Amino acid sequence: MNTRVLELLKNPKNIQSEDLQLLKEEINSFPYIQNIRALHLSGVHLYDKENYQKALSATAAYTTNKKILYQLI
């Protein structure tokens, strides 16, 4: 796993728009890691609002505990 992704998991408020592509690549490599999906969703919400609904649907499909996802939103 990329060191930048690990850093973002520790400090999610440090996410930048450039990190969205990196997170998407990690999701493609590890599709069932919910933390990375949630982090990507948070970044999409901040930097790519037109794709937020699509990202939310995909994240919800892979999230086992919807309460956590609801708290994130």
Side-chain angles (χ1 to χ4, degrees):
M1 188 173 294
N2 190 306
T3 56
R4 175 67 180 158
V5 174
L6 294 174
E7 180 183 320
L8 289 172
L9 287 171
K10 292 178 185 176
N11 300 307
K13 294 190 187 284
N14 294 340
I15 192 167
Q16 301 294 318
S17 61
E18 301 84 33
D19 296 324
L20 291 178
Q21 183 59 35
L22 176 64
L23 291 169
K24 192 67 175 167
E25 291 171 7
E26 290 295 320
I27 289 171
N28 289 337
S29 298
F30 307 102
Y32 297 104
I33 298 180
Q34 296 175 30
N35 295 344
I36 295 176
R37 285 192 176 273
L39 186 60
H40 179 260
L41 179 65
S42 177
V44 169
H45 181 12
L46 292 173
Y47 300 110
D48 191 17
K49 292 194 185 280
E50 61 270 358
N51 292 321
Y52 179 73
Q53 190 63 39
K54 181 179 177 184
L56 176 61
S57 297
T59 303
Y62 283 91
T63 302
T64 57
N65 189 347
K66 305 294 191 264
K67 290 180 183 179
I68 294 172
L69 186 60
Y70 181 75
Q71 291 173 353
L72 175 68
I73 296 170

